[in-house]
Amino acid sequence: MSLLTVGTVAFDAIETPFGKTDRIIGGAATYIALASSYFSKPINMVSVIGDDFPEDALDTLRQHGANTNGIQVRPGEKSFFWSGRYHNDMNTRDTLATELNVLADFDPKVPEAYRDCEFLMLGNLTPAVQMAVIDQIPNRPKLVVLDTMNFWMDTALDELKTVIAKTDVLTINDEEARQLSGEYSLVKAAQSILKMGPRHLVIKKGEHGALLFNEQSVFFAPALPLEVVFDPTGAGDSFAGGFIGYLASTRDISFENMKRAIIFGSAMASFCVEKFGTERLIGLTQDEIDDRVQDFIDLVQFDISLVNN
Amino acid sequence: MSLLTVGTVAFDAIETPFGKTDRIIGGAATYIALASSYFSKPINMVSVIGDDFPEDALDTLRQHGANTNGIQVRPGEKSFFWSGRYHNDMNTRDTLATELNVLADFDPKVPEAYRDCEFLMLGNLTPAVQMAVIDQIPNRPKLVVLDTMNFWMDTALDELKTVIAKTDVLTINDEEARQLSGEYSLVKAAQSILKMGPRHLVIKKGEHGALLFNEQSVFFAPALPLEVVFDPTGAGDSFAGGFIGYLASTRDISFENMKRAIIFGSAMASFCVEKFGTERLIGLTQDEIDDRVQDFIDLVQFDISLVNN
């Protein structure tokens, strides 16, 4: 059940209505690795950092079952840095700074030992980098999951569509699904996007939950209503990590099992937003995760018997 | 299982991105009566119209099991009229015209034969009118459901709070819950609003579903992802009608049964938005309703077995 993830390992500085942080550890691959670690180990990571990235942060990843020797370290260079400020609704944010640094010319190298991967998670990155990773995997993985964002739709749509055509599951948010398809209705958007190649589409709606589509079916998972959303940074990546981690642990990529994976992914996202950065994803217990998944079951389960159906 | 509803019986003129109507039949009590008629009959209606209101529209209500002799007819006066235009997202709209007409000095009279009601649905109206109806019911109903809107929070908050304190279930949308409570988090908003009197709160989130809260529990029902939302007018009233109609038919006001009622209400709302005005709510079959409820079951059901929970 080998799981490979590519994505950023980086610094973030975050302001929310509840407070602000100096630079803290972030990056898509960091959140994906931590969230998936509760389901499937090891997680082989491919990324790039500068020599400013703290060794103890890499230790934390390794303690959660990550192989970090696919993370290139560039001497004398700086790690990717993002800074943002969330608005009061916590659904919208302003980017205050983006310093690409080592990411500017990232040329991913998938170590020989990672190349037999069965589950491939392509975290949000330049589509060309995502494609370069796919091209280094000699045998097609059992499942390729792609996360991306509107920025690549604006700036690299053709390359993005080439990557999308190579993936099994695409995860984007509702506005991105509308932008990519040109359809306002999410049902029509999904039909259009599934024609681009992926057999499954996950539409993330933040506090409004997530939808899973294939050609025949649709499944809806709510987000847990939380008293406090402290910091949404990394929620989508935590979702993706829980999703692919659960699938990798069960090696079952049926629609029924993807439903479960969506719930586990939603549970990991619900933990993520409770504290700044990755803090809440470190050292979770199985009981905490089980209790959280039970909250999701309790939230949506109802019992209606239709006489004739 | 006597069900009494008070609310507007009116004309609407609607523009959506899909087309526009001349004046068509609308009003909260109209939608509530039609939607609840598939679960519980008769529906005793209290409202007011002018002599411009067509007899065949009243016939349609009667054919669906409504008693309309509690609808006052004011000779020489005009019925309430609302006109609005929906934006492309179908979630926001501009009011183009509001002509109160007979509603300006509506003094509701609950006929003697309606006063033993067990289930009372107070559709969106001036809080003072809603209170006047409550005051005419000698024995407290088994369940009082109140629908209202931000307009009354802006203009008649004290009267509204007096009515809220007398009700069992309040239904409002997410923005109204935030306005009424002063809390952004819907969980905190619900805790605050439940302290105002009602034992249950339904927060309607339109295309994002609905939440049901009591002091201990929360339940989430999705909205059905639809290819086309043709006209959202009346969706909230159809939801309320299905909700209270199902509760009246089962005479069970437990939280478990309210969950089912929310699903039936959501099903009625999903029909409502498929055509202009009340058109889709007229002459539904039991098979159509069962199939629609099955769609909701299929949309959210998943099967996770937690070993220790």
Side-chain angles (χ1 to χ4, degrees), chain B residues 96-117:
Chain B
L96 302 177
T98 304
E99 297 172 13
L100 287 179
N101 299 326
V102 291
L103 218 60
D105 58 352
F106 177 33
D107 181 21
K109 300 273 184 257
V110 180
E112 187 65 36
Y114 295 3
R115 293 191 181 178
D116 66 343
C117 86

Side-chain angles (χ1 to χ4, degrees), chain A residues 109-150:
Chain A
K109 300 272 184 258
V110 180
E112 188 65 36
Y114 294 3
R115 293 190 182 179
D116 66 343
C117 86
E118 286 184 289
F119 290 84
L120 174 59
M121 178 70 228
L122 300 166
N124 176 41
L125 265 180
T126 321
V129 171
Q130 294 173 320
M131 198 67 211
V133 170
I134 291 175
D135 287 340
Q136 292 175 57
I137 312 287
N139 300 312
R140 198 185 188 292
K142 191 174 171 76
L143 193 78
V144 180
V145 179
L146 173 70
D147 188 46
T148 188
M149 67 183 294
N150 54 354

Side-chain angles (χ1 to χ4, degrees), chain A residues 18 88-91 174 178 184-188 191 205 207-208 211 213 218-223 225-228 246 256 259-261 263-264 286-287 289-291 293-294 296-309, chain B residues 18 88-91 174 178 184-188 191 205 207-208 211 213 218-223 225-228 246 256 259-261 263-264 286-287 289-291 293-294 296-309:
Chain A
F18 301 104
N88 280 330
D89 66 5
M90 290 301 227
N91 276 328
D174 42 359
R178 288 174 173 137
Y184 188 81
S185 151
L186 295 181
V187 176
K188 288 187 179 176
Q191 289 164 349
K205 305 202 297 171
E207 63 164 326
H208 301 303
L211 289 160
F213 291 91
V218 54
F219 172 66
F220 176 83
L226 295 170
E227 281 198 38
V228 176
Y246 181 78
E256 278 306 303
K259 290 182 182 181
R260 295 182 198 105
I263 297 294
F264 282 102
Q286 190 60 47
D287 277 354
I289 294 169
D290 284 357
D291 286 350
V293 170
Q294 188 64 48
F296 277 87
I297 296 171
D298 294 342
L299 181 64
V300 297
Q301 69 90 23
F302 62 88
D303 173 29
I304 291 178
S305 303
L306 296 167
V307 177
N308 301 312
N309 282 48
Chain B
F18 301 104
N88 280 329
D89 67 5
M90 291 300 230
N91 276 328
D174 42 0
R178 288 174 171 135
Y184 188 82
S185 151
L186 294 181
V187 176
K188 288 187 179 175
Q191 290 165 348
K205 304 201 297 171
E207 63 164 327
H208 301 303
L211 289 160
F213 291 90
V218 54
F219 171 67
F220 176 82
L226 295 171
E227 281 198 37
V228 175
Y246 180 78
E256 278 306 303
K259 291 182 182 181
R260 295 184 197 104
I263 297 293
F264 282 101
Q286 190 61 47
D287 278 354
I289 294 169
D290 284 357
D291 286 350
V293 170
Q294 187 63 48
F296 277 87
I297 295 171
D298 294 343
L299 180 65
V300 297
Q301 69 90 23
F302 62 87
D303 173 29
I304 291 178
S305 302
L306 297 167
V307 177
N308 301 313
N309 281 47

Side-chain angles (χ1 to χ4, degrees), chain B residues 149-167:
Chain B
M149 66 184 295
N150 53 357
F151 180 78
W152 308 115
M153 297 173 193
D154 295 334
T155 60
L157 185 60
D158 287 347
E159 293 95 320
L160 178 60
K161 284 191 169 173
T162 306
V163 183
I164 287 174
K166 297 267 185 184
T167 61

Side-chain angles (χ1 to χ4, degrees), chain A residues 246-261:
Chain A
Y246 181 78
L247 291 176
S249 74
T250 54
R251 305 193 65 211
D252 173 357
I253 58 171
S254 67
F255 193 79
E256 278 306 303
N257 203 49
M258 282 200 189
K259 290 182 182 181
R260 295 182 198 105

Side-chain angles (χ1 to χ4, degrees), chain B residues 167-234:
Chain B
T167 61
D168 300 300
V169 184
L170 173 64
T171 72
I172 48 179
N173 72 27
D174 42 0
E175 285 316 306
E176 289 157 353
R178 288 174 171 135
Q179 178 173 351
L180 185 60
S181 64
E183 295 280 359
Y184 188 82
S185 151
L186 294 181
V187 176
K188 288 187 179 175
Q191 290 165 348
S192 164
I193 291 167
L194 291 174
K195 289 199 174 73
M196 298 178 188
R199 282 175 297 128
H200 300 87
L201 171 67
V202 176
I203 298 182
K204 300 173 286 185
K205 304 201 297 171
E207 63 164 327
H208 301 303
L211 289 160
L212 169 68
F213 291 90
N214 70 6
E215 269 197 10
Q216 294 80 40
S217 305
V218 54
F219 171 67
F220 176 82
L224 212 59
L226 295 171
E227 281 198 37
V228 175
V229 173
F230 195 81
D231 171 19
T233 309

Side-chain angles (χ1 to χ4, degrees), chain A:
Chain A
M1 49 187 194
S2 65
L3 170 57
L4 170 61
T5 187
V6 58
T8 52
V9 172
F11 291 115
D12 292 334
I14 301 159
E15 291 181 37
T16 80
F18 301 104
K20 60 186 288 188
T21 68
D22 290 328
R23 26 184 76 205
I24 58 174
I25 303 305
T30 307
Y31 285 100
I32 291 166
L34 289 172
S36 61
S37 74
Y38 295 99
F39 305 97
S40 179
K41 291 174 188 175
I43 307 108
N44 294 327
M45 297 180 73
V46 167
S47 191
V48 61
I49 53 178
D51 59 9
D52 56 349
F53 201 81
E55 190 61 26
D56 64 353
L58 296 174
D59 277 342
T60 299
L61 286 168
R62 287 188 283 259
Q63 284 155 13
H64 280 78
N67 281 331
T68 59
N69 49 345
I71 302 179
Q72 303 168 31
V73 185
R74 297 269 197 89
E77 293 189 47
K78 283 177 161 181
S79 303
F80 175 59
F81 172 69
W82 175 82
S83 170
R85 181 191 294 132
Y86 288 88
H87 300 171
N88 280 330
D89 66 5
M90 290 301 227
N91 276 328
T92 51
R93 65 187 188 190
D94 296 324
T95 290
L96 302 177
T98 304
E99 298 172 12
L100 287 179
N101 300 326
V102 291
L103 218 59
D105 58 353
F106 177 34
D107 180 21
K109 300 272 184 258
V110 180
E112 188 65 36
Y114 294 3
R115 293 190 182 179
D116 66 343
C117 86
E118 286 184 289
F119 290 84
L120 174 59
M121 178 70 228
L122 300 166
N124 176 41
L125 265 180
T126 321
V129 171
Q130 294 173 320
M131 198 67 211
V133 170
I134 291 175
D135 287 340
Q136 292 175 57
I137 312 287
N139 300 312
R140 198 185 188 292
K142 191 174 171 76
L143 193 78
V144 180
V145 179
L146 173 70
D147 188 46
T148 188
M149 67 183 294
N150 54 354
F151 180 78
W152 308 115
M153 297 174 194
D154 294 334
T155 61
L157 185 60
D158 288 346
E159 293 95 321
L160 177 61
K161 284 192 169 173
T162 306
V163 183
I164 287 174
K166 297 265 184 185
T167 61
D168 300 301
V169 184
L170 173 65
T171 73
I172 48 181
N173 73 27
D174 42 359
E175 285 316 307
E176 290 157 353
R178 288 174 173 137
Q179 178 173 350
L180 185 60
S181 64
E183 296 281 358
Y184 188 81
S185 151
L186 295 181
V187 176
K188 288 187 179 176
Q191 289 164 349
S192 164
I193 291 167
L194 291 174
K195 290 199 175 72
M196 298 178 188
R199 283 176 296 128
H200 300 86
L201 171 67
V202 176
I203 298 182
K204 300 173 286 185
K205 305 202 297 171
E207 63 164 326
H208 301 303
L211 289 160
L212 169 68
F213 291 91
N214 69 8
E215 270 196 12
Q216 294 80 41
S217 306
V218 54
F219 172 66
F220 176 83
L224 212 58
L226 295 170
E227 281 198 38
V228 176
V229 173
F230 196 80
D231 171 19
T233 309
D237 299 314
S238 303
F239 173 88
F243 177 75
I244 199 163
Y246 181 78
L247 291 176
S249 74
T250 54
R251 305 193 65 211
D252 173 357
I253 58 171
S254 67
F255 193 79
E256 278 306 303
N257 203 49
M258 282 200 189
K259 290 182 182 181
R260 295 182 198 105
I262 294 260
I263 297 294
F264 282 102
S266 300
M268 299 316 290
S270 78
F271 283 121
C272 175
V273 303
E274 289 181 340
K275 294 198 175 174
F276 268 127
T278 57
E279 190 179 346
R280 191 70 178 94
L281 292 181
I282 293 168
L284 284 168
T285 67
Q286 190 60 47
D287 277 354
E288 284 180 296
I289 294 169
D290 284 357
D291 286 350
R292 186 58 58 96
V293 170
Q294 188 64 48
D295 288 343
F296 277 87
I297 296 171
D298 294 342
L299 181 64
V300 297
Q301 69 90 23
F302 62 88
D303 173 29
I304 291 178
S305 303
L306 296 167
V307 177
N308 301 312
N309 282 48

